[in-house]
Amino acid sequence: MKTPAPDVTVVIVNYETRDDTVACVGSVLEHLGGVDAQVVVVDNGSRDGSAEALRAAHPGIDVIEAGENLGFARAVNRGVELARGEFVLLLNPDAVMLEHSLPKLIAFARENPQYRIVGGRTLRGDLTLEPSSCWGAPTLWSLTMYATMLSTVFRRSRVFDPESLGAWQRDTVREVPIITGCLLLIRRADFAELGGMDEDFFLYGEDAEFSMRAAAQGMARAVYPPAAIIHTVGGSSAGSSKGSMVLAGKVTYLAKTWPPRRAAVGVLLLKAGVAVRAGLEAVTRRSHRPWTTVWRRRADWGSGYPHAEAALFGRPVPEPAAA
């Protein structure tokens, strides 16, 4: 007799976050609420004993040892290859699933098939809103606001900081342009139809491109507030060249989704925003100058991925992803 498919396959990408990932998987398994879930963890060549700890703590899950740091997009695609669920849920390793969130998320997606990608609320440890579960799509206006620092001065403004989606607390069901990969639910068939994550990306920006590719296919994306996680932002990239990686992702997103001339203007606006911030660090004589470092490395991230992957990490330039 054929075994029924699970309701959902939860895909988690782990890199040097052993304890966080063990806790993340534990929170998923503790709060299934009747949902039949397959859990797949892709370990990106961690040296902290992650794979062994995960198998010991949660022997029923699938652990894929990639043997190297594949980045996010390639690791997600590897995990989904093993998926058997009706749905795929992308979940960050530094997340904790809250009670009832997973069954409510699955139920909402089934009851509202017009939404092909669904996200939820991300919260800080004190349960206040951490708004990174969704974003507005970049525009020339939003990048101009970034270049002039008006998006920083008027943070959460619908006019001057439009990518933040304003003061909305993610407390109502709403269609949004971009669902981030920290909590993203999609039917496995739709993931396959979209061709998976774009493997030209290494880290940051791939979920934005994925959402906008879904938009081009007419797939609506929405946030469902009762599905919530506690999320420690940047758990697997803290202390690294995060600023340069984020900028590399943004440049790659523009190259992938905008016409060439418009994308070139967008990249200039990104560089202008970094230059302004670096200049302010110099004027104020700050001891810690992250924007100055990002500005100095603009040649490394300014062409986007895959060049940035080689420049920032000293890795060979990967082969171009298949169409």
Side-chain angles (χ1 to χ4, degrees):
M1 178 184 252
K2 188 176 180 180
T3 303
D7 297 307
V8 63
T9 297
V10 181
V11 177
I12 301 167
V13 178
N14 174 81
Y15 178 66
E16 307 283 12
T17 52
R18 178 191 62 204
D19 296 340
D20 283 346
T21 307
V22 168
C24 174
V25 173
S27 73
V28 171
L29 298 177
E30 182 181 356
H31 299 308
L32 290 176
V35 168
D36 184 10
Q38 172 196 15
V39 177
V40 178
V41 178
V42 182
D43 180 61
N44 269 347
S46 299
R47 295 161 294 181
D48 62 354
S50 287
E52 296 82 0
L54 283 160
R55 290 190 179 104
H58 307 294
I61 71 172
D62 294 302
V63 179
I64 300 173
E65 295 187 63
E68 62 174 319
N69 191 352
L70 300 176
F72 185 72
R74 292 170 220 148
V76 164
N77 290 346
R78 282 282 300 275
V80 176
E81 287 176 4
L82 207 63
R84 304 190 309 272
E86 175 189 356
F87 292 91
V88 169
L89 176 67
L90 307 186
L91 185 64
N92 264 30
D94 52 1
V96 174
M97 183 71 70
L98 297 184
E99 189 175 4
H100 308 304
S101 290
L102 184 57
K104 286 183 177 180
L105 185 62
I106 300 295
F108 176 82
R110 285 178 172 154
E111 293 165 6
N112 297 273
Q114 71 272 26
Y115 299 130
R116 306 281 285 277
I117 300 178
V118 183
R121 293 186 95 213
T122 48
L123 307 173
R124 301 183 181 93
D126 60 2
L127 301 184
T128 58
L129 178 70
E130 194 288 300
S132 66
S133 66
C134 58
W135 297 103
T139 63
L140 284 177
W141 173 257
S142 72
L143 295 182
T144 300
M145 295 302 95
Y146 173 80
T148 58
M149 283 199 67
L150 287 173
S151 61
T152 300
V153 175
F154 299 103
R155 193 179 298 276
R156 313 299 293 171
S157 163
R158 293 180 65 181
V159 175
F160 298 109
D161 188 19
E163 291 182 36
S164 72
L165 302 176
W168 173 51
Q169 294 295 295
R170 281 66 170 159
D171 53 358
T172 56
V173 175
R174 182 184 293 192
E175 288 194 33
V176 296
I178 293 169
I179 301 289
T180 58
C182 65
L183 180 66
L184 184 155
L185 184 76
I186 183 171
R187 283 179 171 80
R188 182 158 55 99
D190 286 342
F191 189 91
E193 182 179 335
L194 288 169
M197 290 276 177
D198 188 328
E199 296 189 2
D200 282 345
F201 289 85
F202 183 73
L203 190 61
Y204 298 111
E206 62 285 289
D207 45 7
E209 188 279 335
F210 185 76
S211 286
M212 300 315 291
R213 188 160 20 111
Q217 296 293 324
M219 296 184 181
R221 291 88 53 223
V223 162
Y224 177 61
I229 59 172
I230 295 173
H231 181 217
T232 306
V233 179
S236 61
S237 59
S240 68
S241 304
K242 181 176 178 180
S244 295
M245 288 191 288
V246 170
L247 268 297
K250 289 180 180 292
V251 170
T252 310
Y253 169 88
L254 296 180
K256 294 275 186 179
T257 61
W258 286 16
R261 290 184 180 179
R262 188 178 174 205
V265 173
V267 173
L268 287 176
L269 290 170
L270 286 173
K271 289 181 177 178
V274 174
V276 169
R277 287 160 174 79
L280 283 173
E281 288 178 344
V283 168
T284 57
R285 298 183 178 181
R286 295 181 182 177
S287 58
H288 180 57
R289 300 184 182 183
W291 288 109
T292 301
T293 300
V294 174
W295 175 248
R296 287 173 178 165
R297 302 204 70 177
R298 62 192 180 278
D300 294 337
W301 56 259
S303 299
Y305 294 119
H307 167 79
E309 181 180 344
L312 294 172
F313 300 98
R315 294 159 58 92
V317 176
E319 294 295 326

